[in-house]
Amino acid sequence: MNYRHAFHAGNFADVVKHLALVSILAHLKKKPAPFAVIDTHAGRGLYDLAGEEAQRSGEAAAGIGRLLDISDGPETLRTYLDLVLALGRDRYPGSPLIAARLLRPQDRLVAIEKHPEDAAALQSALAPYGRARVVQTDGYMHLPSLLPPPERRGLILIDPPYEASDELSQAANAVAEAYRRFATGIFMIWFPIKSASAANAFCGEVRLSGPRKLLRVDLAVDGDPDKLNAAGLLIGNPPYGFADDMKDVFTPLAPPLGRERDARLRVEWLAGKE
Ligand SMILES: C[S@@+](CC[C@H](N)C(=O)[O-])C[C@H]1O[C@@H](n2cnc3c(N)ncnc32)[C@H](O)[C@@H]1O
């Protein structure tokens, strides 16, 4: 387990993943019934953008760093930027902290992190949030025991580091098993796009696991060929209006996230549609 998210927190891929998270949570909050968020690879929860890792990679500066002065935009973007700015310009919230800050008293977060040091950092980041629980263990192994959640509503976020060569398959298997237990849940899984064929094969595998509705959202930026320049999200059972929300939110972000040309977002239904 060498992956450290501190090098990547707040990069272009984090921005889009976290906007998607904000959009899904806003949808779940439209009904008063409680819901659960399960974050299987939660990270530290809070990242220091002035710290050595972020400064060394420069990824946050080229991501969230270019967005902080955007003063208007759709509600999902405003909610996200307000939440980030509330921490100050040198700190960035990870997915569990974003979820914890947006939950209502009746909702619940289970944040799983395997790395002991990151799990301890996460524990302190989430300490003020009574509805959030940290579990230090393997997210793939632990997830089935949490499904279906008693609330019967919720989001499963699967955001692995993809360090192991077979991790795309492992992630696809985790989604399949999770669907078997909680077919009506919303699932969001992040994946890197280093090779188009490997990414397509992964999406095909997840589609075969049976979600009635499956949306693929890809983001690409031009940049250093030695770095990750494209990433995707698969969203199973996405909320009504989610695809349009992502397109609207992305419009003001395409120029600042781009380099020689605008960043590109592609939204495609792989199964079902609205
Ligand atoms: C991409 S980062 C997560 C970022 C976080 N979801 C966010 O958006 O802020 C992946 C995290 O998974 C952790 N990790 C690696 N293998 C794991 C496993 N099998 N189970 C749970 N966590 C794991 C890593 O230590 C790392 O913190």
Side-chain angles (χ1 to χ4, degrees):
M1 291 221 316
N2 295 320
Y3 178 90
R4 317 301 305 149
H5 196 62
F7 287 96
H8 312 293
N11 72 3
F12 72 96
D14 248 17
V15 165
V16 168
K17 172 179 61 188
H18 294 156
L19 283 163
L21 173 62
V22 169
S23 177
I24 291 169
L25 293 178
H27 170 86
L28 284 166
K29 286 160 70 173
K30 284 182 185 158
K31 285 191 189 157
F35 62 83
V37 176
I38 300 171
D39 191 340
T40 60
H41 294 72
R44 299 174 71 87
L46 185 60
Y47 298 91
D48 177 11
L49 300 187
E52 197 204 324
E53 295 95 334
Q55 289 296 316
R56 191 135 53 96
S57 74
E59 291 189 24
I64 186 64
R66 298 185 184 175
L67 311 180
L68 291 174
D69 295 318
I70 295 176
S71 56
D72 54 8
E75 197 179 329
T76 298
L77 179 60
R78 288 274 31 106
T79 304
Y80 166 71
L81 289 177
D82 289 350
L83 200 149
V84 173
L85 283 166
L87 299 169
R89 288 177 170 254
D90 280 344
R91 297 198 299 169
Y92 185 77
S95 52
L97 185 57
I98 292 172
R101 289 176 79 95
L102 294 175
L103 293 187
R104 305 163 302 179
Q106 66 266 45
D107 307 323
R108 185 168 69 88
L109 166 69
V110 182
I112 308 165
E113 169 57 48
K114 189 172 179 186
H115 197 291
E117 200 185 294
D118 288 354
L122 180 59
Q123 186 77 57
S124 47
L126 295 183
Y129 304 93
R131 304 297 297 156
R133 182 163 68 89
V134 176
V135 186
Q136 194 229 313
T137 189
D138 184 302
Y140 295 121
M141 304 276 280
H142 193 52
L143 178 61
S145 70
L146 301 173
L147 299 179
E151 296 87 348
R152 302 278 166 161
R153 302 179 69 216
L155 168 68
I156 317 303
L157 170 59
I158 302 178
D159 183 20
Y162 297 100
E163 275 182 308
S165 56
D166 65 347
E167 202 159 355
L168 283 168
S169 279
Q170 202 180 354
N173 289 340
V175 180
E177 170 67 11
Y179 266 118
R180 273 196 287 279
R181 293 172 183 257
F182 184 35
T184 55
I186 301 171
F187 291 79
M188 179 157 83
I189 180 157
W190 183 91
F191 59 97
I193 307 180
K194 292 177 186 157
S195 122
S197 58
N200 292 342
F202 168 70
C203 292
E205 225 176 311
V206 173
R207 192 171 64 82
L208 286 178
S209 68
R212 267 193 319 115
K213 293 185 179 188
L214 185 66
L215 188 74
R216 176 173 176 177
V217 177
D218 281 11
L219 173 67
V221 295
D222 298 314
D224 185 340
D226 295 332
K227 287 194 167 175
L228 185 70
N229 294 312
L233 292 169
L234 282 176
I235 301 97
N237 300 327
Y240 184 79
F242 174 81
D244 285 342
D245 194 31
M246 290 309 288
K247 288 181 204 158
D248 289 349
V249 156
F250 192 70
T251 304
L253 307 188
L257 286 182
R259 296 180 192 155
E260 277 140 37
R261 57 183 172 137
D262 287 1
R264 277 101 48 215
L265 189 82
R266 200 183 66 169
V267 177
E268 185 191 357
W269 287 99
L270 300 186
K273 58 181 171 48
E274 269 171 11

